[in-house]
Amino acid sequence: IAEKESLVNEYYIKSKIYEELEYLCYNLSHIGTTYLCECIFLLYFSDNYDDNLSKNIYPIVAKKYGTTPNNIKCNIIQATKISYYECEENKLKSYFYNFLHSKPKTKDVISEVLKHLNKNTYIKM
């Protein structure tokens, strides 16, 4: 039962992450978006949001998908760049609280998605 609840919670959290990324105009079929979702999911359960992505998070995602940490990083950056140019400026400004002077970095996106999830996600663990 605990294993089944864990899978349901994982599915629920990932669906909420994808909703946030879709709002930011991420292409959900882009592999970089999938990698970004995995990174956010890992950090959701982490005590430290400021984990060094390249050292601590990308290798875990890379192992899961059978690729390299550098490939994970590059695909996330590409997905973020595309979403930045596809998304309406007012959406970006409201999501990033008007502190958007340039394309958001991966950590900025992750941080803001995690903030939005914590406001809207109530899951008992």
Side-chain angles (χ1 to χ4, degrees):
I1 292 174
E3 187 177 319
K4 190 172 184 177
E5 283 180 357
S6 176
L7 288 173
V8 169
N9 285 340
E10 179 179 341
Y11 175 78
Y12 178 76
I13 293 167
K14 283 187 177 180
S15 69
K16 289 296 183 185
I17 293 169
Y18 276 116
E19 284 177 21
E20 295 294 324
L21 295 177
E22 186 175 34
Y23 176 80
L24 293 172
C25 300
Y26 275 84
N27 180 344
L28 300 184
S29 64
H30 192 283
I31 191 67
T33 304
T34 303
Y35 296 157
L36 180 58
C37 178
E38 288 292 333
C39 292
I40 294 169
F41 181 77
L42 289 170
L43 287 167
Y44 181 85
F45 294 104
S46 174
D47 293 332
N48 184 6
Y49 289 164
D50 293 326
D51 276 346
N52 182 331
L53 296 173
S54 294
K55 183 178 177 184
N56 299 324
I57 303 300
Y58 294 159
I60 296 170
V61 177
K63 185 175 182 182
K64 179 176 180 175
Y65 288 94
T67 187
T68 65
N70 191 50
N71 191 34
I72 300 295
K73 179 180 180 176
C74 291
N75 277 285
I76 290 173
I77 290 170
Q78 184 180 13
T80 301
K81 182 179 177 181
I82 291 168
S83 78
Y84 175 72
Y85 290 113
E86 295 285 323
C87 199
E88 299 167 10
E89 186 176 342
N90 60 346
K91 270 188 182 181
L92 292 171
K93 283 185 177 181
S94 68
Y95 203 87
F96 292 99
Y97 304 107
N98 293 321
F99 294 114
L100 193 63
H101 302 293
S102 62
K103 180 179 74 68
K105 295 182 179 5
T106 302
K107 277 192 172 187
D108 299 330
V109 173
I110 290 172
S111 176
E112 291 305 315
V113 169
L114 287 169
K115 285 178 190 175
H116 281 82
L117 287 176
N118 285 332
K119 289 181 188 173
N120 302 318
T121 305
Y122 304 98
I123 297 192
K124 63 179 186 177
M125 294 292 171

